[in-house]
Amino acid sequence: GGQVHVEIESNHVNPMAGKSDIEVFVPAGASVSIEGFQATISVAGVTGSVSAETVNGSITQAGAAKGVELESVNGTIEVTKATGRVHAEAVNGTVTVRDASGELEASTVNGKVLVTGGSFDRATLGSVSGGVRFEAGLSAKATLSVESVSGTVDLFLPAGLGAEFKVSSFSGDIVNELGPAAEKTSRWTPGKELSFTSGAGGVRITGETRSGTVNIRKR
């Protein structure tokens, strides 16, 4: 039926006692799904969809894959030049996305989320104890949502971007190079918020931190 399944079964009582390496060459347009436990996963040159998950290990995807879903518990995730819907999620590890496009969901608990290059119609980014850095393009009606609990949020955006901004921080600072300064939410609390429109609007950008700083920088 056009499907190939590859699996290694261990003869050991303890499946972690042995080590196995799998190297598979597929047609470029194939769809690939990979599951591992104590495994490092690398996918290169595949233009079909890519799905990969592991518990202990990193995941690397490179190439114009159309639709990517990557998940790792303990390990970094790197995505390069993927298109369509891109989902990258880690628990303990940095998530890096380079030169991708389409719709992006990227998150981690203990680590950073780094997005550089490419252009997105929708991007949702989040980190609990690490920072978030966004330095990519946005389409005319794009939405960008960023959340961090204790990390810094850095948004590098074009000076002439037409966008509606709504940003808040519970106890951190907000630095804005594209418009007005943030205002305190109350004279009794350290919280700040920022709401403004640059240019003709069109793009919607929201950002929220609890104890981290939000930097809106010119690119």
Side-chain angles (χ1 to χ4, degrees):
Q3 296 183 352
V4 177
H5 178 84
V6 180
E7 180 178 1
I8 291 180
E9 296 182 355
S10 174
N11 292 323
H12 299 281
V13 175
N14 177 10
M16 299 305 297
K19 178 183 178 181
S20 302
D21 295 325
I22 302 177
E23 186 174 13
V24 180
F25 293 85
V26 300
S31 295
V32 177
S33 177
I34 305 169
E35 296 182 7
F37 179 77
Q38 193 87 15
T40 296
I41 299 173
S42 176
V43 180
V46 174
T47 59
S49 63
V50 175
S51 174
E53 60 180 79
T54 185
V55 176
N56 298 308
S58 63
I59 303 177
T60 302
Q61 174 276 328
K66 295 179 178 65
V68 171
E69 186 163 355
L70 311 177
E71 297 182 5
S72 176
V73 177
N74 300 306
T76 61
I77 294 178
E78 295 186 12
V79 177
T80 304
K81 295 185 177 180
T83 63
R85 182 180 180 275
V86 179
H87 176 90
E89 180 180 350
V91 177
N92 299 304
T94 294
V95 175
T96 303
V97 180
R98 301 184 184 92
D99 301 323
S101 62
E103 298 185 357
L104 171 64
E105 296 178 0
S107 65
T108 183
V109 177
N110 300 306
K112 296 180 179 181
V113 174
L114 308 173
V115 182
T116 58
S119 182
F120 299 94
D121 302 318
R122 181 175 66 86
T124 303
L125 315 175
S127 176
V128 175
S129 61
V132 177
R133 180 186 179 96
F134 181 86
E135 195 170 358
L138 294 166
S139 63
K141 299 293 183 180
T143 60
L144 170 62
S145 176
V146 184
E147 292 185 9
S148 178
V149 175
S150 60
T152 299
V153 172
D154 291 306
L155 305 178
F156 291 85
L157 304 169
L161 178 68
E164 300 175 10
F165 291 82
K166 188 172 183 180
V167 180
S168 64
S169 181
F170 180 77
S171 62
D173 197 9
I174 299 176
V175 179
N176 182 22
E177 296 182 355
L178 299 183
E183 299 179 352
K184 293 191 65 175
T185 57
S186 169
R187 61 182 296 184
W188 312 110
T189 61
K192 290 185 176 182
E193 63 182 18
L194 175 68
S195 181
F196 75 103
T197 299
S198 64
V203 176
R204 296 179 59 189
I205 298 176
T206 59
E208 181 179 353
T209 69
R210 183 166 183 83
S211 60
T213 297
V214 178
N215 296 309
I216 301 174
R217 304 290 191 185
K218 292 182 181 179
R219 174 163 59 85

